[in-house]
Amino acid sequence: MSLDLDQAATLLHAERLAPQKDGEITSVAIDSRRCAQGSLFVCLQGQQADGHDFARQAVEQGASAILASRNPFEGEPPVPVLLVADPAAALRSLAADFRDRYARLGGTVIGLTGTAGKTTTKEILSSVLSIAGTVSRTSGNFNNSLGLPLSMLNADPAASWWVMELGISHPGDMDELASLLRPDMGLVLNAGAGHAEGLGERGVAWHKASLFRYLREDGTAIVSADYPDLLREASALRKELVLFSCTGQDVPYQASYLGADAGRGIYRLRLDNETLTVKTLFQGAFAAENLLAAATAAHRLGLSCAAIGKGLENAVPPAQRFARVQAGNWLVIDDSYNANPLSMSKMLEAAAEAAAGRPLCCVLGAMYELGGLAQKEHRNLGLLLAQLQPAELFWTGEYADALEEGLHKGGYAGTLRRLTSPDAFCNTLAETIPQGGVVLFKGSRSNHLEHYVTCFLDRARHCDAV
């Protein structure tokens, strides 16, 4: 980005403190450690820390200006300070203005959401579009009320496309995010029971489909036809929908998984009246949805099938999303970043396929933010695990009793081993698990399953007993 300080002060109706030197803002940060030369550091008041206390550190890192609700320095500031009543609201105002400027430059904004696979689809779509032009995208999972405006402000105004992810947890979140982004194309990947606790009685599908309320009038609305509730809610908002399906629905965009070869998954895609087959770093039926959603968006943006195929084949799975590592005799599948019922079922089915007759071990954590659905969804998870019959099953977090109910009802022949810490897990490895196979790590973020992954990898690589 490029923003003149005087323009920013005028836009925000901010009081500007000395020094009165000119300056150009080239990036925006709310973490002082992420500041660099040309950064505007925004001082936010959080539950654990106050950004005003880190203004000096931001300047030491190179910040050229500060946006704050009070002077964060003793005496005269070393860099210009813009004073506003609400720095978070000012951050959003700057992002809205920058989005307007991007529109005037002719750029295209794609907004995508869904219960599972948002970040993966964002990365795949960015890979595909980069074949034909320049792309700016959400950094990591910066997709909430602070992350989205930061991603927008740090996007390249000269990029052909912005690919922005929208993550919601509470009623009103989508209204806030989508009204700020005002996308030219909206993509709703799926809808399941994620964040059901916070999203209330209207249901997840209603909130996800609300993205389409904020599309420009002639914008493109893309949605999966495989989720009846989602399709119903989307149809109520837009007369014209671009539909895709991975379950054989009779729609213009379809995909199917053909299996794996030499460590790469093979997928056949039908893009309107054209068909292509691609080999990708993704494996499993679950990834067909992510790949097809990205391909559908790219096709509607005018990319050729050849370009789309090349982009799909170049795409790399994000960290902690079905990341596969061979460690000794074990294929380790790290999908530990987060979990909800939809993503959990997809990953378990993919891991079972990857095992292909070898022992399957599952190291799982509780799925949170499900509200009144929590007990039911964990019982259902137990039923699914009983069908898959993993050789070993480890669990950390709440709802173990509900999970065990489902396991018992489904006739699981093994034992559910409850864990309290990564150390406890490591201490059981040599005596409980087989000498090789496939191990899947997955659970909600607060379970910190990445520590279990590290523990397992260390043992698998250095201990003959694992």
Side-chain angles (χ1 to χ4, degrees):
M1 69 172 296
S2 176
L3 180 65
D4 180 87
L5 271 179
D6 286 334
Q7 292 176 339
T10 300
L11 172 69
L12 300 175
H13 304 289
E15 177 187 353
R16 179 169 170 172
L17 300 183
Q20 292 294 326
K21 61 184 179 182
D22 294 332
E24 184 181 51
I25 300 304
T26 56
S27 66
V28 180
I30 60 173
D31 184 338
S32 60
R33 296 166 296 183
R34 292 178 176 268
C35 288
Q37 191 63 41
S39 291
L40 172 67
F41 176 62
V42 184
C43 299
L44 299 177
Q45 176 72 57
Q47 293 181 343
Q48 303 297 326
D50 184 347
H52 294 81
D53 297 334
F54 297 89
R56 179 71 63 180
Q57 180 180 340
V59 173
E60 292 172 355
Q61 290 288 109
S64 300
I66 305 293
L67 179 63
S69 60
R70 66 178 188 273
N71 184 0
F73 304 99
E74 295 182 4
E76 185 169 318
V79 297
V81 176
L82 302 183
L83 292 181
V84 295
D86 185 344
L91 177 69
R92 292 190 289 272
S93 295
L94 288 174
D97 179 72
F98 195 49
R99 198 269 179 256
D100 289 339
R101 287 198 279 156
Y102 182 60
R104 290 193 292 270
L105 292 171
T108 299
V109 175
I110 301 105
L112 66 90
T113 191
T115 298
K118 294 184 293 296
T119 300
T120 297
T121 303
K122 175 203 66 183
E123 294 297 324
I124 296 172
L125 178 55
S126 298
S127 173
V128 173
L129 293 178
S130 67
I131 300 297
T134 53
V135 182
S136 282
R137 65 190 189 276
T138 306
S139 175
N141 69 327
F142 273 39
N143 61 15
N144 60 14
S145 61
L146 295 176
L148 178 63
L150 280 174
S151 294
M152 294 168 65
L153 285 165
N154 290 318
D156 182 0
S160 304
W161 300 281
W162 287 1
V163 182
M164 296 289 161
E165 176 184 334
L166 292 82
I168 62 173
S169 302
H170 302 94
D173 283 356
M174 184 60 77
D175 297 306
E176 178 182 339
L177 298 178
S179 64
L180 176 64
L181 188 64
R182 289 163 285 145
D184 303 295
M185 172 182 282
L187 168 59
V188 185
L189 183 64
N190 49 45
H195 298 294
E197 181 178 31
L199 290 177
E201 296 180 359
R202 288 185 182 268
V204 176
W206 186 91
H207 289 281
K208 296 293 185 183
S210 292
L211 170 63
F212 295 149
R213 298 178 190 274
Y214 300 94
L215 281 179
R216 72 181 195 201
E217 188 174 344
D218 60 344
T220 303
I222 302 174
V223 66
S224 174
D226 295 336
Y227 303 85
D229 290 349
L230 177 60
L231 184 57
R232 183 187 67 249
E233 299 292 355
S235 299
L237 294 174
R238 304 285 293 197
K239 292 182 179 180
E240 295 185 10
L241 296 170
V242 177
L243 301 178
F244 65 92
S245 171
C246 298
T247 63
Q249 303 290 329
D250 185 16
V251 296
Y253 293 87
Q254 300 180 28
S256 57
Y257 176 54
L258 304 182
D261 178 46
R264 295 179 75 92
I266 306 172
Y267 300 84
R268 178 171 294 131
L269 282 69
R270 193 187 87 184
L271 306 180
D272 209 354
N273 294 318
E274 302 178 88
T275 302
L276 73 156
T277 301
V278 295
K279 286 187 176 183
T280 79
L281 290 173
F282 298 85
Q283 287 186 37
F286 79 94
E289 185 173 77
N290 308 120
L291 294 162
L292 177 60
T296 300
H299 192 258
R300 299 296 294 192
L301 289 168
L303 272 70
S304 68
C305 277
I308 292 170
K310 183 177 180 181
L312 295 177
E313 292 181 350
N314 290 344
V316 177
Q320 295 179 278
R321 274 87 164 183
F322 208 70
R324 290 164 295 156
V325 177
Q326 191 68 41
N329 294 325
W330 285 94
L331 173 63
V332 180
I333 301 176
D334 178 5
D335 202 87
S336 61
Y337 185 77
N338 212 341
N340 55 56
L342 181 59
S343 65
M344 182 71 86
S345 63
K346 289 176 181 289
M347 289 306 106
L348 284 168
E349 290 165 359
E353 180 193 11
R358 294 178 290 171
L360 171 64
C361 294
C362 298
V363 185
L364 307 178
M367 303 177 292
Y368 292 113
E369 300 184 59
L370 296 177
L373 297 176
Q375 297 290 334
K376 174 185 175 182
E377 292 296 345
H378 284 85
R379 283 193 292 271
N380 288 341
L381 175 59
L383 289 171
L384 174 59
L385 286 164
Q387 292 177 19
L388 299 177
Q389 290 291 326
E392 293 291 342
L393 177 57
F394 298 86
W395 184 261
T396 183
E398 299 177 40
Y399 309 117
D401 290 343
L403 179 77
E404 203 152 31
E405 284 182 36
L407 289 169
H408 179 73
K409 184 175 181 180
Y412 179 54
T415 300
L416 175 64
R417 304 182 186 277
R418 305 190 189 197
L419 301 173
T420 56
S421 69
D423 288 340
F425 172 56
C426 289
N427 291 337
T428 65
L429 289 182
E431 61 189 59
T432 59
I433 68 174
Q435 296 300 304
V438 174
V439 58
L440 169 69
F441 294 84
K442 187 163 183 65
S444 282
R445 190 82 191 98
S446 56
N447 293 294
H448 299 292
L449 279 173
E450 67 273 13
H451 300 312
Y452 293 79
V453 176
T454 300
C455 174
F456 185 89
L457 288 174
D458 287 344
R459 292 292 295 267
R461 288 166 173 161
H462 301 113
C463 180
D464 293 339
V466 176

